[in-house]
Amino acid sequence: MSAPRRPLANRWLNLPALTTLTAFDSATRPCQCTPPMAEDRDFFAPVLPAITEAEVAHRLHRATAHPHLAAQLATAIFTAASTTQLATAHVRDLAPDVSTITLHDDGRRQGCMTHHVPAWARPLLLAAVFVWRIASGTGGPLFTDPMCSTGLPYLADFAESCKLRPPQPPRPKRRKGSRAPAKPPETIWPFSPAHYGLSWAMREPDLMYGCPHPPPHTRRTTAAYKKGWPPPDYGPRRRSC
């Protein structure tokens, strides 16, 4: 039986959810609250087209022998969370049936939220939980390695090894008549203020480095965007006078 065809194999995938991965702030204090679902806070992470979702799942299921890395990147993709938010997830924050995961943020962004775990990501998160149970029998930070492995890549580096990245700035045009091969540009991981609700984050200089701003994450703006015109609050927030 031949393997299923993968139209996106070996191609870079630009995922809007990864635009908000890099964070300004450090990890927050431990939290054991039971927050509402993300949709009840009117937050909706970008939805992957079916063909992209299948390719992302294929890559992450085969990318590494360290399940916490694959689980962390998968969670970033279906939640549009930052590294700071991902660091708050403990084993206890994953539902026993792996249907939901809770992320905390100490009120710096939209607040603590519980997210639905899509079917393609559940085996990855379940594997991360099993490693914790095998190694220590206790629950710790879900996306850390209880085996204390060394030399593992940072999350952004791991994403690049899977050819997954945020949408990039437009490439500069090649000079007419140039025969030199175009050098592949380095991946830019922007610091997006889209998730922040505090005034200090809004005063930060633009650190998007030319990358497109993430799409809207609310039911109202998502519905408006689907109608074919940009919502009024698409892109960076503007401070009122």
Side-chain angles (χ1 to χ4, degrees):
M1 184 176 178
S2 60
R5 182 172 171 269
R6 294 166 50 213
L8 301 180
N10 302 317
R11 290 176 52 182
W12 279 98
L13 299 182
N14 296 337
L15 307 180
L18 295 181
T19 304
T20 48
L21 182 67
T22 304
F24 284 111
D25 51 350
S26 57
T28 60
R29 58 183 173 83
C31 180
Q32 299 189 40
C33 70
T34 305
M37 298 300 298
E39 56 264 33
D40 293 332
R41 287 194 183 275
D42 200 27
F43 180 88
F44 298 84
V47 177
L48 294 178
I51 189 173
T52 306
E53 180 182 90
E55 180 63 26
V56 168
H58 179 90
R59 296 182 190 186
L60 292 185
H61 278 268
R62 291 161 176 78
T64 179
H66 300 278
H68 72 282
L69 273 177
Q72 186 178 23
L73 184 54
T75 303
I77 291 169
F78 70 77
T79 63
S82 69
T83 51
T84 303
Q85 292 169 302
L86 294 169
T88 66
H90 282 61
V91 173
R92 64 174 178 265
D93 291 311
L94 189 64
D97 61 356
V98 203
S99 61
T100 61
I101 185 171
T102 296
L103 301 178
H104 308 275
D105 72 6
D106 203 18
R108 297 182 182 182
R109 297 174 182 80
Q110 285 94 345
C112 304
M113 288 185 286
T114 298
H115 301 263
H116 293 288
V117 180
W120 65 266
R122 292 181 185 182
L124 300 173
L125 273 72
L126 193 58
V129 169
F130 282 164
V131 171
W132 265 102
R133 292 174 181 170
I134 292 170
S136 65
T138 60
L142 180 60
F143 301 129
T144 59
D145 184 10
M147 303 291 191
C148 300
S149 302
T150 59
L152 298 182
Y154 291 108
L155 189 61
D157 294 332
F158 174 62
E160 289 186 49
S161 72
C162 300
K163 288 194 171 183
L164 304 175
R165 63 185 180 184
Q168 298 293 288
R171 285 193 179 188
K173 294 182 179 179
R174 290 184 61 183
R175 291 184 179 179
K176 191 174 183 180
S178 174
R179 297 182 179 180
K183 182 181 178 182
E186 293 185 3
T187 298
I188 294 177
W189 291 88
F191 287 85
S192 170
H195 281 187
Y196 292 86
L198 300 180
S199 58
W200 66 263
M202 297 300 102
R203 291 194 297 268
E204 289 290 325
D206 181 15
L207 295 177
M208 292 294 294
Y209 304 113
C211 294
H213 283 270
H217 296 303
T218 68
R219 190 191 305 273
R220 179 179 63 83
T221 53
T222 299
Y225 192 66
K226 287 180 178 178
K227 292 179 180 178
W229 52 274
D233 54 354
Y234 180 79
R237 298 182 184 179
R238 293 177 173 83
R239 286 185 297 163
S240 56
C241 299

